[in-house]
Amino acid sequence: MARMENIIQVEQLVKKFGPLIAVDGISFEVRKGEVFGILGPNGAGKTTALECIEGIQEPTSGRTVILGLDTHRDGAKVKQRIGVQLQASAYFDYLTLAEILDLFGRIYTRHVPPRELLAKVGLEEKAKTTVGKLSGGQKQRFSIAATLVNDPEVVFLDEPTTGLDPQARRNLWELVQQIHHEGRTVVLTTHYMEEAEALCERIAIMDRGRIVALDTSMNLIHRLPTPYRVKVKSSRALPIDQMAALPAVQHVSGNGDGHVYTLDVSDSASAVPALLTWGKQQGVAFEHLEVRPATLEDVFLALTGKQLRD
Amino acid sequence: MTAWYMVIANLKMTFRNRQSLFWALVFPLIFVVVFGLFRLDQPVTSKLVVIDQSKDSISRALIDQLKSITLIRVDESRTLEQAQADLQGGKVNYVLVIPPELEQTVARGTAAPVPLGLSYDAAGLQNNQRMFAILNGFVDQANLSLNHAKPLIAVQGQAIQAKQLRYFDFLLPGFVGMGVMTYAIIEVATVLSLYREQKILKRILASPLPGWQFFAGIIGAHLVLALVQAAIILLAGILLFHGHVYGSYLWIAVLVFLGNIVFLNIGFIVGSFARTPQTAIGLGNAVTMPMMFFSGVFFPTDTLPATMRAVVQYLPLTPMLTALRGVALDAKPIWSFPTELGILAAWVLVTSVVAIRVFRFS
């Protein structure tokens, strides 16, 4: 495999606000052309880390390099070549979409015509409307159009789908994939594990200012001691301790009322036959049996002992 | 070049924003219209009922002379009872009773002067003094001519003020200063806190645009707007209410420009402390209101107690208004106001330094 070029390097990045350590010495690289995700709960330090990398905030210590340039020493040069979308940001209330894109475009040496940008995000008919008249999903798409005014090589998206309904979220995912297919590197933060799984080639899981794991979503899940989940529904209550003693089963969680049990298993190929045999011995009929891989939610729980969303 | 586009964009936004236009134009124009409509320097006329019980040549002469005074409306139609009831009821201001047989009594000669009875409402102090002065003047004159005495001293009036200077003319430059101040402080503070809340400032920080160019756009647009604002206020005052400007419009523009820079800086400072646009409006009003009342928009600061005047003269609006009035009303050149210009320059300097110090992007 050809050696992949790193487009972003983060080395021992620390950001403190008084006694609070928002980012606690993180290091990672982003490869050219990949979609890189930073997944973590609210308050994990994702936004602060991103803003330090983008050159908006001064880090307390550490180094951030984009396209071979230090983002703090060569800030202006870096900013010409990156696109930044801020979390829950807005744009001028009294300018039309086309006027805003035109104004932002003039800031950069290289810029894309507003009409082309609006067409890309499916808002060409809204060129003469103001941001206030757009729906939540349209606003988010417009803010992505605004990050593309300078035809950037690297695009940063901070929580791009927070607050959107499922349909609008899917539309936005398609847009992110389209940006990726144009050959741009995308770095995004999210607290939705489905989003990280759907969009990102590699994911850094962040908690309390630290990166607790970094890999592809498949590798993160497979690295778990129990990468599979077996869910069964039985006709009557079952002894949990007996199920937990079956081969390859590590943990059983059960819902007593509906007789639904979830088994964390290290190997589904040996756990499922053993479970079926044990069921036959017990004289239990399984009404429903499903095997699925663990999720990033399970990974986060295993790594931090917490739920991703509280 | 980009800063220039920022100026244009800011002007566009202002003209599309109704709230902004209200503070820029409607607010000061309300003052121009209200103060233009009231006849502030037209003296109040008094209604004088004369009960002439004498009806001879002396009483007639006196009444005719009173009628020639524009400030007094003479009424002879009422009876004494009616007149006294109307004085009580506030329908008339004075009742003058000329006793019977005035001419005969004077011709006979009397030990004590014949009293002309004047009833009045004690509350109208200023008007009462004026009325006594007028009546005494007539009576003195009558006494002199009846005694066949020759006047030894006379007042010789000579109108020397060629231009007509009214209270409204005094107010007009005040409204220019007030309008420019209110708009610059409140609008900049609001916009700044809004841009921070909406993360527009942070978005600018994420772009290669140098911060000063973004603010140059805001400041540039405001300097243009302040001149438009001043022009509209003056024009409305002159065309609608016959206001007067005697001096150079260039010096007025220079003073508006200078004052505006101070107020824009104050707006930036207020906007740096206000977390939301609502707080910005509140804080902005807290800063502009005292200046509006104490810096001499409505009344000359000379009428304030000396200790207060000593403080108030250093507020930025005070020297701006003093110089504006000197330039606009007395047609003086701008360099006749070195103290005022000095105070303004000091404000420009201090507020610039503070604004840069306290400003924050997020």
Side-chain angles (χ1 to χ4, degrees), chain A residues 80-113:
Chain A
Q80 285 284 358
R81 296 168 67 183
I82 64 172
V84 172
Q85 185 210 30
L86 299 167
Q87 193 180 333
S89 64
Y91 288 92
F92 305 104
D93 294 329
Y94 294 97
L95 291 181
T96 66
L97 302 193
E99 285 170 341
I100 295 171
L101 294 178
D102 179 61
L103 185 66
F104 271 96
R106 290 182 192 281
I107 296 175
Y108 298 91
T109 44
R110 180 161 70 171
H111 50 88
V112 182

PDB file of all heavy atoms in Angstrom, chain A residues 80-113:
ATOM      1  N   GLN A  80      -6.430  30.689   3.850  1.00  0.00           N
ATOM      2  CA  GLN A  80      -6.778  30.799   2.421  1.00  0.00           C
ATOM      3  C   GLN A  80      -7.186  29.446   1.859  1.00  0.00           C
ATOM      4  O   GLN A  80      -7.934  29.365   0.889  1.00  0.00           O
ATOM      5  CB  GLN A  80      -5.574  31.316   1.605  1.00  0.00           C
ATOM      6  CG  GLN A  80      -5.284  32.790   1.740  1.00  0.00           C
ATOM      7  CD  GLN A  80      -6.248  33.664   0.950  1.00  0.00           C
ATOM      8  OE1 GLN A  80      -7.141  33.184   0.254  1.00  0.00           O
ATOM      9  NE2 GLN A  80      -6.082  34.975   1.079  1.00  0.00           N
ATOM     10  N   ARG A  81      -6.679  28.355   2.453  1.00  0.00           N
ATOM     11  CA  ARG A  81      -6.844  27.037   1.835  1.00  0.00           C
ATOM     12  C   ARG A  81      -7.771  26.097   2.605  1.00  0.00           C
ATOM     13  O   ARG A  81      -7.940  24.951   2.195  1.00  0.00           O
ATOM     14  CB  ARG A  81      -5.452  26.391   1.680  1.00  0.00           C
ATOM     15  CG  ARG A  81      -4.578  27.183   0.720  1.00  0.00           C
ATOM     16  CD  ARG A  81      -3.142  26.746   0.760  1.00  0.00           C
ATOM     17  NE  ARG A  81      -2.964  25.399   0.236  1.00  0.00           N
ATOM     18  CZ  ARG A  81      -1.784  24.767   0.232  1.00  0.00           C
ATOM     19  NH1 ARG A  81      -0.708  25.359   0.723  1.00  0.00           N
ATOM     20  NH2 ARG A  81      -1.696  23.556  -0.258  1.00  0.00           N
ATOM     21  N   ILE A  82      -8.338  26.564   3.713  1.00  0.00           N
ATOM     22  CA  ILE A  82      -9.262  25.704   4.452  1.00  0.00           C
ATOM     23  C   ILE A  82     -10.656  26.336   4.478  1.00  0.00           C
ATOM     24  O   ILE A  82     -10.814  27.538   4.263  1.00  0.00           O
ATOM     25  CB  ILE A  82      -8.792  25.442   5.911  1.00  0.00           C
ATOM     26  CG1 ILE A  82      -8.776  26.738   6.726  1.00  0.00           C
ATOM     27  CG2 ILE A  82      -7.423  24.774   5.915  1.00  0.00           C
ATOM     28  CD1 ILE A  82      -8.510  26.532   8.209  1.00  0.00           C
ATOM     29  N   GLY A  83     -11.654  25.493   4.706  1.00  0.00           N
ATOM     30  CA  GLY A  83     -13.029  25.968   4.852  1.00  0.00           C
ATOM     31  C   GLY A  83     -13.501  25.617   6.251  1.00  0.00           C
ATOM     32  O   GLY A  83     -13.296  24.496   6.699  1.00  0.00           O
ATOM     33  N   VAL A  84     -14.112  26.581   6.944  1.00  0.00           N
ATOM     34  CA  VAL A  84     -14.487  26.345   8.331  1.00  0.00           C
ATOM     35  C   VAL A  84     -15.981  26.588   8.524  1.00  0.00           C
ATOM     36  O   VAL A  84     -16.488  27.659   8.220  1.00  0.00           O
ATOM     37  CB  VAL A  84     -13.683  27.272   9.273  1.00  0.00           C
ATOM     38  CG1 VAL A  84     -14.209  27.169  10.697  1.00  0.00           C
ATOM     39  CG2 VAL A  84     -12.208  26.932   9.228  1.00  0.00           C
ATOM     40  N   GLN A  85     -16.665  25.564   9.004  1.00  0.00           N
ATOM     41  CA  GLN A  85     -18.057  25.760   9.399  1.00  0.00           C
ATOM     42  C   GLN A  85     -18.114  25.698  10.911  1.00  0.00           C
ATOM     43  O   GLN A  85     -17.626  24.746  11.525  1.00  0.00           O
ATOM     44  CB  GLN A  85     -18.934  24.669   8.803  1.00  0.00           C
ATOM     45  CG  GLN A  85     -20.401  24.920   9.105  1.00  0.00           C
ATOM     46  CD  GLN A  85     -21.207  23.650   9.210  1.00  0.00           C
ATOM     47  OE1 GLN A  85     -20.707  22.606   9.599  1.00  0.00           O
ATOM     48  NE2 GLN A  85     -22.465  23.750   8.879  1.00  0.00           N
ATOM     49  N   LEU A  86     -18.708  26.739  11.498  1.00  0.00           N
ATOM     50  CA  LEU A  86     -18.778  26.783  12.957  1.00  0.00           C
ATOM     51  C   LEU A  86     -20.090  26.184  13.427  1.00  0.00           C
ATOM     52  O   LEU A  86     -21.100  26.238  12.734  1.00  0.00           O
ATOM     53  CB  LEU A  86     -18.668  28.218  13.439  1.00  0.00           C
ATOM     54  CG  LEU A  86     -17.377  28.936  13.077  1.00  0.00           C
ATOM     55  CD1 LEU A  86     -17.526  30.412  13.325  1.00  0.00           C
ATOM     56  CD2 LEU A  86     -16.220  28.375  13.871  1.00  0.00           C
ATOM     57  N   GLN A  87     -20.042  25.645  14.636  1.00  0.00           N
ATOM     58  CA  GLN A  87     -21.248  25.066  15.229  1.00  0.00           C
ATOM     59  C   GLN A  87     -22.294  26.152  15.459  1.00  0.00           C
ATOM     60  O   GLN A  87     -21.977  27.207  15.996  1.00  0.00           O
ATOM     61  CB  GLN A  87     -20.848  24.444  16.565  1.00  0.00           C
ATOM     62  CG  GLN A  87     -21.877  23.552  17.172  1.00  0.00           C
ATOM     63  CD  GLN A  87     -21.378  23.003  18.488  1.00  0.00           C
ATOM     64  OE1 GLN A  87     -20.171  22.884  18.674  1.00  0.00           O
ATOM     65  NE2 GLN A  87     -22.274  22.689  19.389  1.00  0.00           N
ATOM     66  N   ALA A  88     -23.531  25.887  15.026  1.00  0.00           N
ATOM     67  CA  ALA A  88     -24.655  26.802  15.254  1.00  0.00           C
ATOM     68  C   ALA A  88     -24.322  28.243  14.909  1.00  0.00           C
ATOM     69  O   ALA A  88     -24.596  29.156  15.668  1.00  0.00           O
ATOM     70  CB  ALA A  88     -25.112  26.706  16.713  1.00  0.00           C
ATOM     71  N   SER A  89     -23.707  28.447  13.749  1.00  0.00           N
ATOM     72  CA  SER A  89     -23.359  29.816  13.365  1.00  0.00           C
ATOM     73  C   SER A  89     -24.458  30.387  12.487  1.00  0.00           C
ATOM     74  O   SER A  89     -25.298  29.673  11.978  1.00  0.00           O
ATOM     75  CB  SER A  89     -22.030  29.827  12.626  1.00  0.00           C
ATOM     76  OG  SER A  89     -22.164  29.111  11.425  1.00  0.00           O
ATOM     77  N   ALA A  90     -24.445  31.694  12.353  1.00  0.00           N
ATOM     78  CA  ALA A  90     -25.430  32.347  11.500  1.00  0.00           C
ATOM     79  C   ALA A  90     -24.702  33.291  10.561  1.00  0.00           C
ATOM     80  O   ALA A  90     -23.488  33.478  10.683  1.00  0.00           O
ATOM     81  CB  ALA A  90     -26.425  33.110  12.350  1.00  0.00           C
ATOM     82  N   TYR A  91     -25.434  33.850   9.629  1.00  0.00           N
ATOM     83  CA  TYR A  91     -24.836  34.833   8.731  1.00  0.00           C
ATOM     84  C   TYR A  91     -25.679  36.082   8.755  1.00  0.00           C
ATOM     85  O   TYR A  91     -26.774  36.083   9.292  1.00  0.00           O
ATOM     86  CB  TYR A  91     -24.715  34.239   7.332  1.00  0.00           C
ATOM     87  CG  TYR A  91     -23.631  33.193   7.292  1.00  0.00           C
ATOM     88  CD1 TYR A  91     -23.923  31.857   7.525  1.00  0.00           C
ATOM     89  CD2 TYR A  91     -22.316  33.565   7.112  1.00  0.00           C
ATOM     90  CE1 TYR A  91     -22.915  30.911   7.541  1.00  0.00           C
ATOM     91  CE2 TYR A  91     -21.307  32.628   7.136  1.00  0.00           C
ATOM     92  CZ  TYR A  91     -21.605  31.299   7.355  1.00  0.00           C
ATOM     93  OH  TYR A  91     -20.603  30.383   7.385  1.00  0.00           O
ATOM     94  N   PHE A  92     -25.150  37.151   8.162  1.00  0.00           N
ATOM     95  CA  PHE A  92     -25.823  38.447   8.165  1.00  0.00           C
ATOM     96  C   PHE A  92     -27.312  38.328   7.830  1.00  0.00           C
ATOM     97  O   PHE A  92     -27.683  37.762   6.815  1.00  0.00           O
ATOM     98  CB  PHE A  92     -25.144  39.372   7.169  1.00  0.00           C
ATOM     99  CG  PHE A  92     -23.669  39.514   7.418  1.00  0.00           C
ATOM    100  CD1 PHE A  92     -22.755  38.866   6.612  1.00  0.00           C
ATOM    101  CD2 PHE A  92     -23.201  40.271   8.473  1.00  0.00           C
ATOM    102  CE1 PHE A  92     -21.393  38.984   6.849  1.00  0.00           C
ATOM    103  CE2 PHE A  92     -21.849  40.396   8.722  1.00  0.00           C
ATOM    104  CZ  PHE A  92     -20.944  39.749   7.907  1.00  0.00           C
ATOM    105  N   ASP A  93     -28.156  38.909   8.691  1.00  0.00           N
ATOM    106  CA  ASP A  93     -29.604  38.798   8.524  1.00  0.00           C
ATOM    107  C   ASP A  93     -30.138  39.582   7.337  1.00  0.00           C
ATOM    108  O   ASP A  93     -31.188  39.262   6.814  1.00  0.00           O
ATOM    109  CB  ASP A  93     -30.309  39.338   9.795  1.00  0.00           C
ATOM    110  CG  ASP A  93     -30.017  38.472  10.997  1.00  0.00           C
ATOM    111  OD1 ASP A  93     -29.823  37.270  10.801  1.00  0.00           O
ATOM    112  OD2 ASP A  93     -29.996  39.004  12.126  1.00  0.00           O
ATOM    113  N   TYR A  94     -29.454  40.639   6.962  1.00  0.00           N
ATOM    114  CA  TYR A  94     -30.031  41.536   5.960  1.00  0.00           C
ATOM    115  C   TYR A  94     -29.327  41.486   4.608  1.00  0.00           C
ATOM    116  O   TYR A  94     -29.410  42.418   3.828  1.00  0.00           O
ATOM    117  CB  TYR A  94     -30.077  42.982   6.499  1.00  0.00           C
ATOM    118  CG  TYR A  94     -31.030  43.092   7.657  1.00  0.00           C
ATOM    119  CD1 TYR A  94     -30.573  43.034   8.964  1.00  0.00           C
ATOM    120  CD2 TYR A  94     -32.399  43.206   7.440  1.00  0.00           C
ATOM    121  CE1 TYR A  94     -31.455  43.095  10.032  1.00  0.00           C
ATOM    122  CE2 TYR A  94     -33.290  43.275   8.492  1.00  0.00           C
ATOM    123  CZ  TYR A  94     -32.817  43.218   9.786  1.00  0.00           C
ATOM    124  OH  TYR A  94     -33.697  43.275  10.834  1.00  0.00           O
ATOM    125  N   LEU A  95     -28.592  40.383   4.369  1.00  0.00           N
ATOM    126  CA  LEU A  95     -28.019  40.193   3.031  1.00  0.00           C
ATOM    127  C   LEU A  95     -28.628  38.922   2.451  1.00  0.00           C
ATOM    128  O   LEU A  95     -28.984  38.004   3.181  1.00  0.00           O
ATOM    129  CB  LEU A  95     -26.494  40.050   3.118  1.00  0.00           C
ATOM    130  CG  LEU A  95     -25.686  41.283   3.510  1.00  0.00           C
ATOM    131  CD1 LEU A  95     -24.198  40.957   3.513  1.00  0.00           C
ATOM    132  CD2 LEU A  95     -25.955  42.460   2.579  1.00  0.00           C
ATOM    133  N   THR A  96     -28.754  38.862   1.120  1.00  0.00           N
ATOM    134  CA  THR A  96     -29.278  37.647   0.495  1.00  0.00           C
ATOM    135  C   THR A  96     -28.175  36.591   0.476  1.00  0.00           C
ATOM    136  O   THR A  96     -26.994  36.903   0.650  1.00  0.00           O
ATOM    137  CB  THR A  96     -29.735  37.913  -0.946  1.00  0.00           C
ATOM    138  OG1 THR A  96     -28.578  38.239  -1.723  1.00  0.00           O
ATOM    139  CG2 THR A  96     -30.742  39.051  -1.006  1.00  0.00           C
ATOM    140  N   LEU A  97     -28.578  35.328   0.228  1.00  0.00           N
ATOM    141  CA  LEU A  97     -27.592  34.248   0.196  1.00  0.00           C
ATOM    142  C   LEU A  97     -26.481  34.566  -0.810  1.00  0.00           C
ATOM    143  O   LEU A  97     -25.297  34.416  -0.507  1.00  0.00           O
ATOM    144  CB  LEU A  97     -28.268  32.928  -0.178  1.00  0.00           C
ATOM    145  CG  LEU A  97     -29.417  32.434   0.713  1.00  0.00           C
ATOM    146  CD1 LEU A  97     -29.737  30.985   0.379  1.00  0.00           C
ATOM    147  CD2 LEU A  97     -29.104  32.579   2.185  1.00  0.00           C
ATOM    148  N   ALA A  98     -26.886  35.022  -1.999  1.00  0.00           N
ATOM    149  CA  ALA A  98     -25.887  35.323  -3.031  1.00  0.00           C
ATOM    150  C   ALA A  98     -24.949  36.442  -2.577  1.00  0.00           C
ATOM    151  O   ALA A  98     -23.738  36.380  -2.800  1.00  0.00           O
ATOM    152  CB  ALA A  98     -26.579  35.699  -4.338  1.00  0.00           C
ATOM    153  N   GLU A  99     -25.508  37.451  -1.910  1.00  0.00           N
ATOM    154  CA  GLU A  99     -24.675  38.578  -1.446  1.00  0.00           C
ATOM    155  C   GLU A  99     -23.677  38.134  -0.377  1.00  0.00           C
ATOM    156  O   GLU A  99     -22.530  38.584  -0.359  1.00  0.00           O
ATOM    157  CB  GLU A  99     -25.560  39.704  -0.895  1.00  0.00           C
ATOM    158  CG  GLU A  99     -26.256  40.513  -1.964  1.00  0.00           C
ATOM    159  CD  GLU A  99     -27.321  41.461  -1.409  1.00  0.00           C
ATOM    160  OE1 GLU A  99     -27.776  41.244  -0.264  1.00  0.00           O
ATOM    161  OE2 GLU A  99     -27.688  42.394  -2.110  1.00  0.00           O
ATOM    162  N   ILE A 100     -24.132  37.248   0.533  1.00  0.00           N
ATOM    163  CA  ILE A 100     -23.230  36.771   1.586  1.00  0.00           C
ATOM    164  C   ILE A 100     -22.076  35.994   0.968  1.00  0.00           C
ATOM    165  O   ILE A 100     -20.903  36.211   1.300  1.00  0.00           O
ATOM    166  CB  ILE A 100     -23.985  35.888   2.605  1.00  0.00           C
ATOM    167  CG1 ILE A 100     -25.037  36.708   3.357  1.00  0.00           C
ATOM    168  CG2 ILE A 100     -23.014  35.260   3.600  1.00  0.00           C
ATOM    169  CD1 ILE A 100     -25.974  35.869   4.210  1.00  0.00           C
ATOM    170  N   LEU A 101     -22.406  35.088   0.034  1.00  0.00           N
ATOM    171  CA  LEU A 101     -21.360  34.278  -0.596  1.00  0.00           C
ATOM    172  C   LEU A 101     -20.411  35.163  -1.393  1.00  0.00           C
ATOM    173  O   LEU A 101     -19.198  34.938  -1.414  1.00  0.00           O
ATOM    174  CB  LEU A 101     -21.983  33.213  -1.500  1.00  0.00           C
ATOM    175  CG  LEU A 101     -22.798  32.140  -0.754  1.00  0.00           C
ATOM    176  CD1 LEU A 101     -23.416  31.172  -1.750  1.00  0.00           C
ATOM    177  CD2 LEU A 101     -21.935  31.389   0.248  1.00  0.00           C
ATOM    178  N   ASP A 102     -20.955  36.193  -2.036  1.00  0.00           N
ATOM    179  CA  ASP A 102     -20.127  37.121  -2.795  1.00  0.00           C
ATOM    180  C   ASP A 102     -19.164  37.857  -1.870  1.00  0.00           C
ATOM    181  O   ASP A 102     -17.962  37.951  -2.126  1.00  0.00           O
ATOM    182  CB  ASP A 102     -21.027  38.120  -3.528  1.00  0.00           C
ATOM    183  CG  ASP A 102     -20.221  39.125  -4.331  1.00  0.00           C
ATOM    184  OD1 ASP A 102     -19.494  38.678  -5.228  1.00  0.00           O
ATOM    185  OD2 ASP A 102     -20.296  40.327  -4.025  1.00  0.00           O
ATOM    186  N   LEU A 103     -19.711  38.342  -0.723  1.00  0.00           N
ATOM    187  CA  LEU A 103     -18.893  39.082   0.241  1.00  0.00           C
ATOM    188  C   LEU A 103     -17.786  38.194   0.815  1.00  0.00           C
ATOM    189  O   LEU A 103     -16.621  38.595   0.854  1.00  0.00           O
ATOM    190  CB  LEU A 103     -19.792  39.607   1.362  1.00  0.00           C
ATOM    191  CG  LEU A 103     -19.123  40.509   2.386  1.00  0.00           C
ATOM    192  CD1 LEU A 103     -18.681  41.804   1.730  1.00  0.00           C
ATOM    193  CD2 LEU A 103     -20.079  40.829   3.529  1.00  0.00           C
ATOM    194  N   PHE A 104     -18.158  36.974   1.230  1.00  0.00           N
ATOM    195  CA  PHE A 104     -17.141  36.072   1.785  1.00  0.00           C
ATOM    196  C   PHE A 104     -16.119  35.687   0.725  1.00  0.00           C
ATOM    197  O   PHE A 104     -14.929  35.567   1.017  1.00  0.00           O
ATOM    198  CB  PHE A 104     -17.797  34.833   2.406  1.00  0.00           C
ATOM    199  CG  PHE A 104     -18.150  35.029   3.845  1.00  0.00           C
ATOM    200  CD1 PHE A 104     -19.427  35.407   4.227  1.00  0.00           C
ATOM    201  CD2 PHE A 104     -17.183  34.877   4.828  1.00  0.00           C
ATOM    202  CE1 PHE A 104     -19.741  35.627   5.551  1.00  0.00           C
ATOM    203  CE2 PHE A 104     -17.488  35.082   6.162  1.00  0.00           C
ATOM    204  CZ  PHE A 104     -18.769  35.457   6.526  1.00  0.00           C
ATOM    205  N   GLY A 105     -16.602  35.515  -0.503  1.00  0.00           N
ATOM    206  CA  GLY A 105     -15.686  35.149  -1.585  1.00  0.00           C
ATOM    207  C   GLY A 105     -14.589  36.179  -1.773  1.00  0.00           C
ATOM    208  O   GLY A 105     -13.429  35.843  -2.015  1.00  0.00           O
ATOM    209  N   ARG A 106     -14.956  37.446  -1.619  1.00  0.00           N
ATOM    210  CA  ARG A 106     -13.980  38.524  -1.849  1.00  0.00           C
ATOM    211  C   ARG A 106     -12.849  38.527  -0.830  1.00  0.00           C
ATOM    212  O   ARG A 106     -11.831  39.172  -1.026  1.00  0.00           O
ATOM    213  CB  ARG A 106     -14.684  39.882  -1.833  1.00  0.00           C
ATOM    214  CG  ARG A 106     -15.568  40.062  -3.029  1.00  0.00           C
ATOM    215  CD  ARG A 106     -16.227  41.411  -3.029  1.00  0.00           C
ATOM    216  NE  ARG A 106     -17.278  41.462  -4.017  1.00  0.00           N
ATOM    217  CZ  ARG A 106     -17.071  41.631  -5.314  1.00  0.00           C
ATOM    218  NH1 ARG A 106     -15.841  41.787  -5.765  1.00  0.00           N
ATOM    219  NH2 ARG A 106     -18.081  41.655  -6.158  1.00  0.00           N
ATOM    220  N   ILE A 107     -13.070  37.816   0.286  1.00  0.00           N
ATOM    221  CA  ILE A 107     -12.026  37.733   1.303  1.00  0.00           C
ATOM    222  C   ILE A 107     -10.869  36.872   0.799  1.00  0.00           C
ATOM    223  O   ILE A 107      -9.727  37.060   1.190  1.00  0.00           O
ATOM    224  CB  ILE A 107     -12.617  37.138   2.610  1.00  0.00           C
ATOM    225  CG1 ILE A 107     -13.686  38.075   3.173  1.00  0.00           C
ATOM    226  CG2 ILE A 107     -11.525  36.874   3.626  1.00  0.00           C
ATOM    227  CD1 ILE A 107     -14.401  37.504   4.393  1.00  0.00           C
ATOM    228  N   TYR A 108     -11.174  35.922  -0.092  1.00  0.00           N
ATOM    229  CA  TYR A 108     -10.166  34.943  -0.513  1.00  0.00           C
ATOM    230  C   TYR A 108      -9.617  35.279  -1.892  1.00  0.00           C
ATOM    231  O   TYR A 108     -10.295  35.870  -2.730  1.00  0.00           O
ATOM    232  CB  TYR A 108     -10.800  33.546  -0.562  1.00  0.00           C
ATOM    233  CG  TYR A 108     -11.304  33.078   0.773  1.00  0.00           C
ATOM    234  CD1 TYR A 108     -12.606  33.322   1.171  1.00  0.00           C
ATOM    235  CD2 TYR A 108     -10.470  32.375   1.642  1.00  0.00           C
ATOM    236  CE1 TYR A 108     -13.070  32.891   2.402  1.00  0.00           C
ATOM    237  CE2 TYR A 108     -10.927  31.937   2.875  1.00  0.00           C
ATOM    238  CZ  TYR A 108     -12.230  32.204   3.250  1.00  0.00           C
ATOM    239  OH  TYR A 108     -12.685  31.778   4.461  1.00  0.00           O
ATOM    240  N   THR A 109      -8.367  34.855  -2.115  1.00  0.00           N
ATOM    241  CA  THR A 109      -7.776  35.091  -3.433  1.00  0.00           C
ATOM    242  C   THR A 109      -8.450  34.215  -4.479  1.00  0.00           C
ATOM    243  O   THR A 109      -8.689  34.641  -5.594  1.00  0.00           O
ATOM    244  CB  THR A 109      -6.252  34.816  -3.421  1.00  0.00           C
ATOM    245  OG1 THR A 109      -6.029  33.611  -2.704  1.00  0.00           O
ATOM    246  CG2 THR A 109      -5.506  35.935  -2.749  1.00  0.00           C
ATOM    247  N   ARG A 110      -8.776  32.969  -4.076  1.00  0.00           N
ATOM    248  CA  ARG A 110      -9.484  32.087  -5.014  1.00  0.00           C
ATOM    249  C   ARG A 110     -10.917  31.968  -4.545  1.00  0.00           C
ATOM    250  O   ARG A 110     -11.174  31.652  -3.392  1.00  0.00           O
ATOM    251  CB  ARG A 110      -8.820  30.709  -5.001  1.00  0.00           C
ATOM    252  CG  ARG A 110      -9.499  29.737  -5.945  1.00  0.00           C
ATOM    253  CD  ARG A 110      -8.609  28.591  -6.262  1.00  0.00           C
ATOM    254  NE  ARG A 110      -8.421  27.724  -5.107  1.00  0.00           N
ATOM    255  CZ  ARG A 110      -7.805  26.535  -5.198  1.00  0.00           C
ATOM    256  NH1 ARG A 110      -7.331  26.119  -6.343  1.00  0.00           N
ATOM    257  NH2 ARG A 110      -7.665  25.791  -4.128  1.00  0.00           N
ATOM    258  N   HIS A 111     -11.878  32.244  -5.412  1.00  0.00           N
ATOM    259  CA  HIS A 111     -13.253  32.055  -4.967  1.00  0.00           C
ATOM    260  C   HIS A 111     -14.171  31.541  -6.072  1.00  0.00           C
ATOM    261  O   HIS A 111     -13.983  31.789  -7.246  1.00  0.00           O
ATOM    262  CB  HIS A 111     -13.810  33.318  -4.315  1.00  0.00           C
ATOM    263  CG  HIS A 111     -13.624  34.564  -5.106  1.00  0.00           C
ATOM    264  ND1 HIS A 111     -14.520  34.986  -6.038  1.00  0.00           N
ATOM    265  CD2 HIS A 111     -12.612  35.467  -5.100  1.00  0.00           C
ATOM    266  CE1 HIS A 111     -14.087  36.110  -6.569  1.00  0.00           C
ATOM    267  NE2 HIS A 111     -12.945  36.421  -6.038  1.00  0.00           N
ATOM    268  N   VAL A 112     -15.203  30.810  -5.610  1.00  0.00           N
ATOM    269  CA  VAL A 112     -16.163  30.159  -6.502  1.00  0.00           C
ATOM    270  C   VAL A 112     -17.375  31.079  -6.630  1.00  0.00           C
ATOM    271  O   VAL A 112     -17.795  31.676  -5.643  1.00  0.00           O
ATOM    272  CB  VAL A 112     -16.585  28.808  -5.877  1.00  0.00           C
ATOM    273  CG1 VAL A 112     -17.544  28.054  -6.788  1.00  0.00           C
ATOM    274  CG2 VAL A 112     -15.362  27.969  -5.547  1.00  0.00           C
ATOM    275  N   PRO A 113     -17.967  31.209  -7.844  1.00  0.00           N
ATOM    276  CA  PRO A 113     -19.141  32.087  -7.987  1.00  0.00           C
ATOM    277  C   PRO A 113     -20.311  31.620  -7.105  1.00  0.00           C
ATOM    278  O   PRO A 113     -20.548  30.421  -6.993  1.00  0.00           O
ATOM    279  CB  PRO A 113     -19.520  31.945  -9.471  1.00  0.00           C
ATOM    280  CG  PRO A 113     -18.337  31.360 -10.137  1.00  0.00           C
ATOM    281  CD  PRO A 113     -17.549  30.620  -9.117  1.00  0.00           C
TER     282      PRO A 113
END
